[in-house]
């Protein structure tokens, strides 16, 4: 995600990163070249201008379609952020509550470490990868290998967390109802991940996407015919502005539709995962240094 100051205007005017310019430049330039060809043909070969009434009416309808497209995509983006906010909260709650019952036992550190790798496993899973983050080396290698080979990596991590909680109950550290309360946090983590998977695996309906893009192409490539009689060569920059605005809005919707990737405008999942990891590992006592003084003379 691109971080920026919303109070600054002109300092971001020249930014390319995250601005959709690289994604739409080909389409926009093609419209500009086509507009120049239409103007040249109309001036030197034959009249090809048409009345602008149809384009005026179509532009209103197309604008409404684009607004719906971006609103639907932003809803998905914001819902994804709320789901990851839930993951942040539940990982903290699990570590906080379990510390009361497991803080003095050897089970607390494994639970915290498995909880700390869950966000990395979830974000990697949403990106089609299998990994547990930079602190996976603190866990037993055999268990890590078994988790990475599982059919669903984040679910297997959650199973490890539940197994640690069950081991604490069997060791007599707390009764069954406490285990159920602690495991409720693990269940919510799976629920939030399921919500992210729903967004990731359910794109915008194909019919809406293809109809909008057909309408965009038809509108932008026929627009010079409606402008050439009135604007002449100014039709070229006018077509550029309209194509840039319309194609840019549509591409913004495409980029934030699935906010779990690595695009410039996707959610900062790596930073969120690192933040969760740092918060949770702070629950563990710092490793003691060997306080041996200098040898006696």
């Amino acid at each position: 995600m691109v971080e920026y100051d919303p109070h600054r205007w002109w300092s971001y005017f020249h930014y390319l990163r995250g601005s959709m310019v690289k994604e739409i430049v080909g389409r926009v330039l093609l419209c500009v070249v086509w507009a120049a060809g239409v103007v040249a043909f109309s001036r030197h070969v034959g009249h090809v201008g048409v009345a602008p009434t149809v384009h005026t009416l179509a532009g209103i309808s197309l604008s409404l379609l684009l607004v719906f497209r971006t609103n639907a995509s932003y809803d998905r983006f914001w819902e994804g952020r709320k789901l990851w906010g839930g993951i942040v909260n539940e990982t903290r709650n699990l570590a906080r509550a379990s510390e009361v019952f497991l803080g003095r036992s050897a089970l607390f550190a494994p639970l915290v470490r498995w909880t700390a790798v869950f966000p990395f496993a979830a974000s990697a899973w949403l990106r089609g990868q299998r990994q547990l983050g930079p602190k996976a080396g603190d866990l037993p290698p055999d268990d890590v290998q078994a988790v990475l080979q599982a059919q669903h990596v984040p679910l297997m991590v959650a199973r490890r967390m539940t197994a640690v909680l069950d081991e604490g109950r069997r060791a007599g550290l707390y009764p069954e109802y406490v285990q159920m309360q602690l495991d409720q946090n693990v269940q919510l983590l799976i629920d939030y991940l399921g919500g992210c998977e729903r967004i990731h695996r359910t794109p915008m309906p194909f019919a809406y996407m293809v109809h909008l893009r057909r309408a965009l192409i038809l509108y932008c490539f026929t627009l010079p015919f409606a402008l050439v009689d009135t604007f002449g060569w100014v039709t070229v920059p006018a077509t550029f502005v309209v194509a840039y605005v319309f194609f840019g809005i549509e591409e913004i919707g495409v980029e934030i539709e699935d906010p779990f990737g690595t695009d410039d405008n996707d959610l900062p999942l790596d930073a969120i995962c690192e933040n969760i990891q740092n918060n949770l590992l702070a629950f563990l006592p710092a490793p003691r240094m060997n306080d041996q003084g200098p040898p006696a003379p």
Side-chain angles (χ1 to χ4, degrees), residues 102-103 105-115 139 164 281 284-285:
L102 297 174
S105 72
L107 296 175
F108 183 60
L111 177 63
V112 169
R113 290 192 172 103
W114 280 117
T115 306
L139 294 165
V164 174
L281 295 183
L284 301 179

Side-chain angles (χ1 to χ4, degrees), residues 37-52 224-230:
V38 170
V39 175
F41 187 92
S42 180
R43 291 230 167 186
H44 302 292
V45 179
H47 177 261
V48 292
V50 298
F225 296 99
L227 301 180
V228 64
D229 288 343
T230 304

Side-chain angles (χ1 to χ4, degrees), residues 55-128:
H55 282 80
T56 301
L57 298 175
I60 297 173
S61 301
L62 187 58
S63 299
L64 294 176
L65 288 174
L66 288 171
V67 168
F68 176 80
R69 174 71 168 96
T70 52
N71 284 345
S73 295
Y74 185 77
D75 284 342
R76 295 161 61 93
F77 177 89
W78 183 238
E79 183 181 2
R81 182 61 186 92
K82 290 192 293 185
L83 290 169
W84 270 90
I87 292 176
V88 171
N89 294 340
E90 294 308 321
T91 51
R92 292 171 177 170
N93 284 332
L94 178 58
R96 174 191 55 80
S98 61
E99 184 182 25
V100 177
F101 303 98
L102 297 174
R104 297 184 179 180
S105 72
L107 296 175
F108 183 60
L111 177 63
V112 169
R113 290 192 172 103
W114 280 117
T115 306
V117 303
F118 178 86
F120 288 97
S123 63
W125 186 254
L126 293 171
R127 295 170 177 175

Side-chain angles (χ1 to χ4, degrees), residues 16-40:
L16 291 179
R17 183 187 173 203
S19 64
M20 303 293 101
V21 171
K22 293 185 292 185
E23 288 78 5
I24 66 173
V25 62
R27 281 165 272 172
V28 173
L29 289 180
L30 188 60
C31 286
V32 169
V33 172
W34 172 256
V38 170
V39 175

Side-chain angles (χ1 to χ4, degrees), residues 186-201:
V186 182
Q187 177 179 333
L188 288 173
L189 290 176
I190 295 299
D191 289 345
Y192 293 138
L193 175 60
C196 294
E197 290 178 322
R198 168 173 48 82
I199 296 174
H200 175 64
R201 297 177 179 176

